[in-house]
Amino acid sequence: MTTSHADELRLMLVNLEHDGGPEPSPGVLPERWRQAYEGILAPRMPDWLAVTELTYSQTGPRSSTEDIAAATRRWDAAQRSLGMRGFRAPMGQGRNPTGLLVRESTFTIHADYEHRFIWRTPPTNVVIGLPDVPETPIVTASFHGSFCSPQGREREYEELTALVDKVKAQHGRDPDRSRAGCWLFGDTNEYPVPTGEVVPEIDWASPDITDLVHRRHRARRQSDGTWKSCTFLDELMTDCGMHDPARFAARRNDKPEALNATAGHRAIGQGGGRRIDRGYMDAWTVQAVEDVNVIDMTGVSDHHALEVVLSRPALVEALRRTFEPLAAGELVA
């Protein structure tokens, strides 16, 4: 079905490397930040945007007055340049916090919640709604999994299932139980299960893998001495009935380029480009996906941006649950 721009919504995920860098001088935004926000993001007019590595847009409790002022300037500039309302998670142990921006002409804001514990980098969790379907909230989050601990990521990602639980997919259309949509987008620091992927699986035994610390961060050593890539989040979300919109675009809309690599192109000895940056959507709203684009950020960031284009009419029907949910694991099998 062909739709007008008014009939489309855009969800985006961007990991701008270290927030584009520090201010070259007080009050001056760095060039890479301007290229990302003003040159790439603003023209695409996202309705919902997950951001990671807000290194200079958020501060911790011991930050100086100057750092707080600089972070406020930058976060205000992000909201102005995009015409969106922003939310930031608190700082964790990691130095690259997450954020989320919402276009208020598209969505209503219901609530935002803090997740301070467990996470190395806390997620930004904002509950929104589509005015057409006010009775169905959409639980959304921007997250960034621990870069250095497979075990730590597993604990973090188990916490995400508390948000997925709001969907109540197991109750279908039962009017006596609450229901919600759910969108979780982030830098997973893990890989998708290899079934149907266009990016070849990493051969951890290859002599080209020279970054052994990275291997330990992204793979598990098996009892026979071989290494298996970390795919815990992908398996977990699939088990819980969530779906990767890029897979939906590739499998259902004949858009294999949706599965292109998003990160790892510049890294040496780590196995090449990988589909690290991903989203997960509930079994109804994922069926509103029309297209998924991997947006080239070469020269601006070490990660490419992800754009998910939704049909607004289909999203309305999905939130009303007027059709059956996509079966768990259907896009992976």
Side-chain angles (χ1 to χ4, degrees):
M1 178 176 66
T2 301
T3 61
S4 68
H5 182 73
D7 286 333
E8 292 178 342
L9 299 179
R10 283 171 168 74
L11 316 181
M12 292 190 70
L13 165 65
V14 65
N15 183 333
L16 176 60
E17 185 178 19
H18 299 313
D19 209 9
E23 293 181 337
S25 59
V28 178
L29 291 166
E31 181 58 27
R32 286 196 299 114
W33 187 97
R34 288 191 175 279
Q35 289 175 348
Y37 279 84
E38 298 172 1
I40 297 174
L41 296 175
R44 303 190 87 91
M45 295 188 65
D47 297 283
W48 181 93
L49 172 64
V51 287
T52 61
E53 297 204 15
L54 291 178
T55 317
Y56 298 98
S57 296
Q58 176 64 300
T59 54
R62 297 185 180 181
S63 299
S64 67
T65 301
E66 292 78 10
D67 286 345
I68 293 171
T72 300
R73 283 194 298 269
R74 188 170 304 199
W75 191 236
D76 287 347
Q79 294 174 84
R80 284 195 309 273
S81 66
L82 299 176
M84 302 172 76
R85 179 177 171 186
F87 302 84
R88 292 173 294 180
M91 294 288 291
Q93 182 180 352
R95 61 183 293 262
N96 295 306
T98 65
L100 198 156
L101 295 106
V102 179
R103 191 169 301 282
E104 291 187 283
S105 60
T106 303
F107 296 110
T108 55
I109 309 295
H110 290 200
D112 68 294
Y113 300 98
E114 287 191 354
H115 300 260
R116 290 182 177 272
F117 306 106
I118 301 299
W119 290 80
R120 177 182 176 85
T121 302
T124 307
N125 173 203
V126 180
V127 181
I128 62 176
L130 195 66
D132 316 58
V133 196
E135 68 274 17
T136 306
I138 308 170
V139 179
T140 75
S142 167
F143 67 90
H144 194 159
S146 172
F147 84 97
C148 60
S149 173
Q151 185 176 5
R153 282 195 302 273
E154 291 182 9
R155 183 68 185 93
E156 291 174 344
Y157 292 152
E158 285 170 344
E159 287 294 314
L160 283 182
T161 65
L163 303 183
V164 176
D165 191 55
K166 306 301 181 185
V167 174
K168 298 296 181 187
Q170 66 269 33
H171 299 294
R173 300 176 185 170
D174 185 349
D176 296 326
R177 299 302 296 262
S178 62
R179 67 172 187 247
C182 186
W183 302 338
L184 311 174
F185 283 63
D187 179 345
T188 68
N189 276 324
E190 288 193 352
Y191 310 105
V193 295
T195 306
E197 292 293 310
V198 301
V199 179
E201 191 174 5
I202 293 177
D203 176 9
W204 292 106
S206 168
D208 294 332
I209 303 297
T210 57
D211 190 335
L212 302 186
V213 178
H214 181 79
R215 182 178 67 180
R216 186 67 185 181
H217 289 168
R218 299 292 177 84
R220 293 276 201 174
R221 185 162 54 187
Q222 307 301 294
S223 58
D224 62 359
T226 61
W227 292 83
K228 180 181 181 297
S229 293
C230 293
T231 58
F232 179 82
L233 175 64
D234 204 24
E235 295 166 14
L236 179 68
M237 290 292 117
T238 298
D239 289 345
C240 290
M242 297 286 280
H243 297 273
D244 180 342
R247 279 203 189 101
F248 186 89
R251 309 277 200 276
R252 294 300 183 85
N253 298 341
D254 194 26
K255 305 275 188 177
E257 63 275 12
L259 299 175
N260 286 348
T262 63
H265 307 84
R266 285 172 28 191
I268 298 173
Q270 296 184 358
R274 300 288 123 194
R275 200 163 71 87
I276 294 295
D277 307 271
R278 299 193 303 279
Y280 291 94
M281 302 175 67
D282 66 88
W284 286 271
T285 63
V286 73
Q287 296 182 70
V289 171
E290 292 189 327
D291 202 359
V292 172
N293 302 305
V294 177
I295 300 165
D296 194 339
M297 299 276 284
T298 302
V300 179
S301 181
D302 58 344
H303 288 243
H304 297 324
L306 190 69
E307 178 186 57
V308 177
V309 182
L310 304 181
S311 160
R312 183 174 185 134
L315 178 60
V316 168
E317 296 306 308
L319 293 172
R320 289 176 178 160
R321 297 192 175 177
T322 59
F323 49 76
E324 293 299 314
L326 195 64
E330 184 170 332
L331 300 176
V332 180

